[in-house]
Amino acid sequence: MKISLMINEKEYVTHVKPEGMLIDVLRHLGFTSVKRGCDSSSCGLCTVWVDGLPILSCGYLALRALGKNITTIEGVQEEAKKFGTFLAEEGGDQCGFCNPGFIMNVIALKRQNKKFTDEEIKTYLMGNLCRCTGYASQMRAIQKYLEV
């Protein structure tokens, strides 16, 4: 099936199977920042935004994205770079494999423009798994980023 998707404010025309997942379409179109991890919507590596809200693209049918705006980390490069600096300064970047999905969720959190408690931040990000850190360095980076 031929479809048109808006990704990072640019239109892409591609072919998908009715059961095709958004992660497969994005990676096929070259958005390799969208990482494949669990394929069961439980690790957060594949997080992108659909109409500004974080979703797990491994569990989201590509056809559901018709008429919606999809944003990958390539579409928020400046914000991602800014938060990435905080991550690096706090030692929270580690291997970096989980960073794209993690960063997408943190930027979405910041865009809510409100003050969060540590528990609220942990709850918001509980779907993002990192096997390299104990999350302490990432929490320091998030707290500093949210204050800016």
Side-chain angles (χ1 to χ4, degrees):
M1 172 182 293
K2 186 176 179 180
I3 65 170
S4 173
L5 296 172
M6 287 300 293
I7 305 168
N8 300 328
E9 300 181 9
K10 183 177 175 187
E11 184 177 14
Y12 291 85
V13 177
T14 188
H15 293 272
V16 299
K17 295 178 181 175
E19 70 277 14
M21 293 298 169
L22 185 56
I23 187 173
D24 298 316
V25 173
L26 293 171
R27 290 188 60 83
H28 174 74
L29 292 172
F31 296 96
T32 55
S33 69
V34 184
K35 304 292 185 204
R36 179 179 301 283
C38 64
D39 272 339
S40 61
S41 301
S42 58
C43 73
L45 292 180
C46 64
T47 302
V48 298
W49 299 346
V50 173
D51 285 343
L53 298 174
I55 61 103
L56 299 168
S57 62
C58 75
Y60 194 92
L61 289 172
L63 292 176
R64 287 182 64 194
L66 288 173
K68 299 180 179 181
N69 294 306
I70 302 162
T71 307
T72 68
I73 201 165
E74 291 88 351
V76 291
Q77 288 182 4
E78 288 303 315
E79 291 169 279
K81 183 179 176 182
K82 187 174 184 178
F83 178 62
T85 301
F86 283 95
L87 267 179
E89 288 175 357
E90 294 300 328
D93 51 341
Q94 300 293 319
C95 82
F97 191 69
C98 68
N99 282 358
F102 183 74
I103 290 171
M104 292 299 288
N105 271 325
V106 171
I107 293 171
L109 186 69
K110 184 171 178 71
R111 286 186 172 196
Q112 291 184 24
N113 198 25
K114 70 177 226 184
K115 193 159 181 70
F116 292 94
T117 65
D118 288 353
E119 289 307 311
E120 288 172 324
I121 295 170
K122 288 176 185 174
T123 298
Y124 192 87
L125 299 172
M126 62 192 264
N128 289 91
L129 301 180
C130 174
R131 289 170 174 78
C132 299
T133 71
Y135 298 101
S137 55
Q138 293 174 334
M139 279 299 292
R140 287 192 307 269
I142 293 167
Q143 290 162 337
K144 290 182 177 179
Y145 176 69
L146 293 178
E147 291 174 7
V148 176

